[in-house]
Amino acid sequence: MTTPPIPVLLYHAVMDDPPDWIAEFTVTPRDFRAQLDVIVASGRTPVTISALAGHFGGRSPLPDRPVVLTFDDGFADLPGPTADALAARALPATAYLTTGAVTPGRRSLLPPAPMMKLSQAPLLERYGMEVGAHTITHPQLDTLPAKALRRELTEPKAVLEDVLGHEVAHLAYPHGYNSPAVRRAALRAGYASAVAVRHALSSGTDESYRIARLILRRSHTVADIEAWMDGRGAPVAPFPDSLPTVGWRLYRRARARLKGPVFAG
């Protein structure tokens, strides 16, 4: 039986003048508000990743036409104007934080950009957002040796749990890079779900540890959002990795053995 497509949107920064390295994946505040209005007008029911993971785990049903909004990294706009725009429309969301990038005195592989602070994570929850982990340094997880992979998954979970005072159960793979070994490691680390990218619509039968998301670029328009809300304009997961994807992973692993961890971006 075919299951209806589920749009899971992936945002990064929402700002007018982003650094060059993230500009392609940034939307302006004006475009963001217009996109949110399209989501509201679509009649879809906004849910969090927790609700989607609950469905995959057989613990709870989904509404007929769900939509999920997610935000990666933890840019400075998130606990301010971006959260305000979501709250004004009663839209829940899930924010995945790169702990090394949002913790003063820590380092990550992310290039310089205005970032929120780890201490603001509870503020996101007060806005109605749930918080997930997005590793410490934002590496290409599928190129790491086992010990480094385990640290990138377990440490940010523990850090966020300490700040928030409760379990953090959801993970986002930096730039979506994952593999069967990475997915098994996410399960062992105690996560209930993990999101990838795939630039595809999810579905009721998608995989809990590589949930497909649609990555927002500055070139996307409200027409793109309308198509996605209608279940059109992108492939529907689950589907197997293509041969080019597998080949690219093997190349990146070989490069990482020579040069060390690489920024996933």
Side-chain angles (χ1 to χ4, degrees), residues 122-135:
L123 176 59
L124 296 179
E125 294 194 328
R126 291 197 289 274
Y127 269 109
M129 303 176 76
E130 69 179 353
V131 176
H134 196 38
T135 73

Side-chain angles (χ1 to χ4, degrees), residues 102-174:
V102 301
T103 305
R106 295 295 301 272
R107 300 180 65 182
S108 77
L109 296 169
L110 288 172
M115 306 299 291
M116 64 174 280
K117 292 182 173 58
L118 179 65
S119 60
Q120 293 175 298
L123 176 59
L124 296 179
E125 294 194 328
R126 291 197 289 274
Y127 269 109
M129 303 176 76
E130 69 179 353
V131 176
H134 196 38
T135 73
I136 311 166
T137 68
H138 208 278
Q140 297 179 8
L141 290 177
D142 57 348
T143 68
L144 298 182
K147 183 177 180 180
L149 172 61
R150 184 166 56 251
R151 178 172 177 264
E152 288 284 353
L153 298 182
T154 59
E155 182 178 310
K157 188 177 192 297
V159 166
L160 290 168
E161 287 174 346
D162 185 60
V163 170
L164 296 170
H166 60 74
E167 182 185 17
V168 170
H170 306 289
L171 170 72
Y173 306 122

Side-chain angles (χ1 to χ4, degrees), residues 11 15 55 61 89 122 165 254:
Y11 286 94
M15 60 180 73
H55 166 74
R89 295 161 178 81

Side-chain angles (χ1 to χ4, degrees), residues 2-265:
T2 303
T3 57
I6 301 171
V8 182
L9 305 187
L10 164 54
Y11 286 94
H12 288 86
V14 180
M15 60 180 73
D16 286 311
D17 296 304
D20 288 345
W21 69 271
I22 195 63
E24 180 185 355
F25 302 110
T26 298
V27 298
T28 67
R30 179 179 178 179
D31 287 347
F32 180 63
R33 292 190 297 269
Q35 291 170 6
L36 295 186
D37 290 339
V38 168
I39 293 168
V40 171
S42 74
R44 283 190 174 266
T45 302
V47 300
T48 60
I49 283 291
S50 290
L52 191 57
H55 166 74
F56 291 144
R59 297 183 298 276
S60 58
L62 285 171
D64 288 339
R65 299 180 69 244
V67 59
V68 186
L69 284 78
T70 69
F71 296 80
D72 280 10
D73 300 329
F75 290 93
D77 61 271
L78 187 57
T82 296
D84 284 334
L86 292 164
R89 295 161 178 81
L91 291 171
T94 302
Y96 295 101
L97 304 184
T98 305
T99 55
V102 301
T103 305
R106 295 295 301 272
R107 300 180 65 182
S108 77
L109 296 169
L110 288 172
M115 306 299 291
M116 64 174 280
K117 292 182 173 58
L118 179 65
S119 60
Q120 293 175 298
L123 176 59
L124 296 179
E125 294 194 328
R126 291 197 289 274
Y127 269 109
M129 303 176 76
E130 69 179 353
V131 176
H134 196 38
T135 73
I136 311 166
T137 68
H138 208 278
Q140 297 179 8
L141 290 177
D142 57 348
T143 68
L144 298 182
K147 183 177 180 180
L149 172 61
R150 184 166 56 251
R151 178 172 177 264
E152 288 284 353
L153 298 182
T154 59
E155 182 178 310
K157 188 177 192 297
V159 166
L160 290 168
E161 287 174 346
D162 185 60
V163 170
L164 296 170
H166 60 74
E167 182 185 17
V168 170
H170 306 289
L171 170 72
Y173 306 122
H175 209 64
Y177 288 136
N178 70 94
S179 66
V182 171
R183 297 193 290 274
R184 289 192 297 269
L187 173 63
R188 288 194 299 270
Y191 292 103
S193 79
V195 290
V197 179
R198 317 202 88 187
H199 198 61
L201 292 150
S202 184
S203 73
T205 57
D206 203 356
E207 301 167 77
S208 297
Y209 289 90
R210 61 167 171 180
I211 298 169
R213 295 188 289 174
L214 295 154
I215 188 167
L216 269 294
R217 290 177 164 84
R218 59 182 172 182
S219 58
H220 284 124
T221 67
V222 293
D224 294 310
I225 306 296
E226 287 171 343
W228 296 340
M229 293 306 108
D230 198 36
R232 299 180 290 106
V236 179
F239 49 80
D241 287 337
S242 66
L243 288 177
T245 296
V246 174
W248 176 234
R249 181 183 302 140
L250 293 173
Y251 166 78
R252 290 184 292 101
R253 283 177 178 168
R255 183 180 61 185
R257 290 191 190 99
L258 294 174
K259 298 184 177 182
V262 177
F263 164 58

